[in-house]
Amino acid sequence: MEVLDIPELNNIMGLDIFFTKKKIKEIGYFRKVNFLVKYFEDNCGLDTANQTPLRIHVKDIMDLKDRCSEVINNPHKAEELLPTMDGFYFGSSDYDENYLEDVQRIYDYCTYLLSEFDALQEDESIWFEIWY
């Protein structure tokens, strides 16, 4: 999976989201995907206030992928399944075309991330991290 570097966004303060395979490398990056933080906060115990890295598991990504699929097929369920959150750092909280594009991007990324779980060595794990 290619990590995009968009120079014109580098100077904009905002919520940066990382998936990291510990002991190896960063394996994913998203910027201001509002619902993603809320998902990990509500369903996996992410502590956004302290920006504490959260170890994630296959079941978390399978659930996220299922929710993305449901929202892609039934956009009216977005607020129920993948709600956004308010706050300057979190970007738009609208359920609009940009939101649905983010849902599709995260759905596609989940497929890749599940393959990363399959390839983990015994001493490796995958973490969700935020910085703002």
Side-chain angles (χ1 to χ4, degrees):
M1 165 142 259
E2 181 178 338
V3 177
L4 299 178
D5 181 25
I6 305 171
E8 59 270 14
L9 295 181
N10 289 342
N11 294 325
I12 298 173
M13 180 183 277
L15 175 67
D16 298 317
I17 301 169
F18 301 90
F19 286 89
T20 306
K21 184 191 298 186
K22 292 296 182 183
K23 298 182 98 180
I24 300 294
K25 62 181 178 178
E26 182 180 297
I27 58 172
Y29 172 84
F30 296 92
R31 186 166 184 81
K32 293 196 182 236
V33 178
N34 187 312
F35 71 85
L36 197 53
V37 174
K38 181 102 173 111
Y39 171 82
F40 282 105
E41 202 175 59
D42 290 351
N43 298 289
C44 306
L46 177 67
D47 179 4
T48 54
N50 294 315
Q51 300 178 356
T52 305
L54 173 72
R55 184 176 182 174
I56 59 174
H57 302 81
V58 170
K59 67 179 178 46
D60 303 323
I61 301 307
M62 291 174 64
D63 179 55
L64 177 59
K65 186 176 181 182
D66 289 345
R67 288 170 186 249
C68 287
S69 177
E70 188 67 26
V71 169
I72 290 165
N73 293 314
N74 301 289
H76 65 277
K77 292 185 176 183
E79 193 169 359
E80 172 193 346
L81 296 175
L82 293 172
T84 60
M85 57 197 301
D86 292 327
F88 172 74
Y89 290 109
F90 300 110
S92 173
S93 59
D94 296 336
Y95 299 95
D96 57 12
E97 185 177 319
N98 292 326
Y99 169 90
L100 292 174
E101 288 173 6
D102 284 343
V103 172
Q104 183 65 57
R105 284 182 27 220
I106 296 303
Y107 175 85
D108 294 341
Y109 180 74
C110 285
T111 300
Y112 165 76
L113 193 53
L114 289 169
S115 72
E116 286 290 325
F117 275 103
D118 289 342
L120 285 178
Q121 301 297 313
E122 187 174 314
D123 62 344
E124 294 178 323
S125 54
I126 296 178
W127 296 74
F128 180 85
E129 301 179 60
I130 63 170
W131 181 86
Y132 52 89

